[in-house]
């Protein structure tokens, strides 16, 4: 089993002993993605901006691995407030192609 780290400057750098993603045996394992601007390192304000930026960051990692959202099989989203579900879900729907 060969592990290959995936890294891009288009997403925030890992801030610990982990990679943005690891490719192994034809599967890509992505680390968590925050709504952080990769250029400034600042966490954006508001749930909409953070959700959009987090998914853009993940898109950049997928792109660095030569993949797209059509290759994604599982996503886990953590919300601090369930009242934000509809907002985040509407943003997520723009990224995840059918079949979701």
């Amino acid at each position: 089993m060969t592990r290959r780290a995936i890294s891009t400057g288009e997403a925030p750098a890992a801030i610990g002993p982990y990679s943005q993603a690891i490719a192994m045996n034809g599967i890509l394992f992505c680390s968590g993605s925050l709504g952080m601007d990769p250029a400034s390192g600042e966490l954006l304000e508001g749930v909409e901006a953070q959700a959009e930026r987090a998914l853009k960051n993940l898109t950049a990692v997928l792109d660095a691995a030569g993949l797209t959202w059509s290759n994604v099989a599982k996503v886990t989203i953590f919300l601090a407030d369930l009242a934000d579900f509809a907002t985040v879900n509407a943003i997520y729907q723009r990224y995840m192609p059918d079949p979701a």
Side-chain angles (χ1 to χ4, degrees):
M1 288 193 242
T2 302
R3 295 176 32 189
R4 181 173 58 95
I6 303 297
S7 181
T8 177
E10 299 298 314
I15 56 174
Y18 61 90
S19 301
Q20 290 172 328
I22 293 287
M24 187 170 77
N25 293 339
I27 299 174
L28 185 70
F29 299 89
C30 296
S31 68
S33 181
L34 297 174
M36 186 178 292
D37 181 87
S40 70
E42 296 294 320
L43 188 63
L44 301 183
E45 279 292 321
V47 68
E48 288 181 57
Q50 288 181 14
E52 184 73 41
R53 185 73 249 179
L55 294 171
K56 282 182 181 179
N57 292 341
L58 185 52
T59 300
V61 173
L62 291 170
D63 187 56
L67 301 171
T68 69
W69 280 90
S70 65
N71 301 109
V72 174
K74 181 185 184 306
V75 175
T76 302
I77 296 175
F78 295 100
L79 297 173
D81 187 343
L82 194 54
D84 293 326
F85 176 81
T87 299
V88 173
N89 195 50
I91 294 166
Y92 173 70
Q93 284 180 309
R94 293 197 317 261
Y95 286 83
M96 181 55 78
D98 284 333

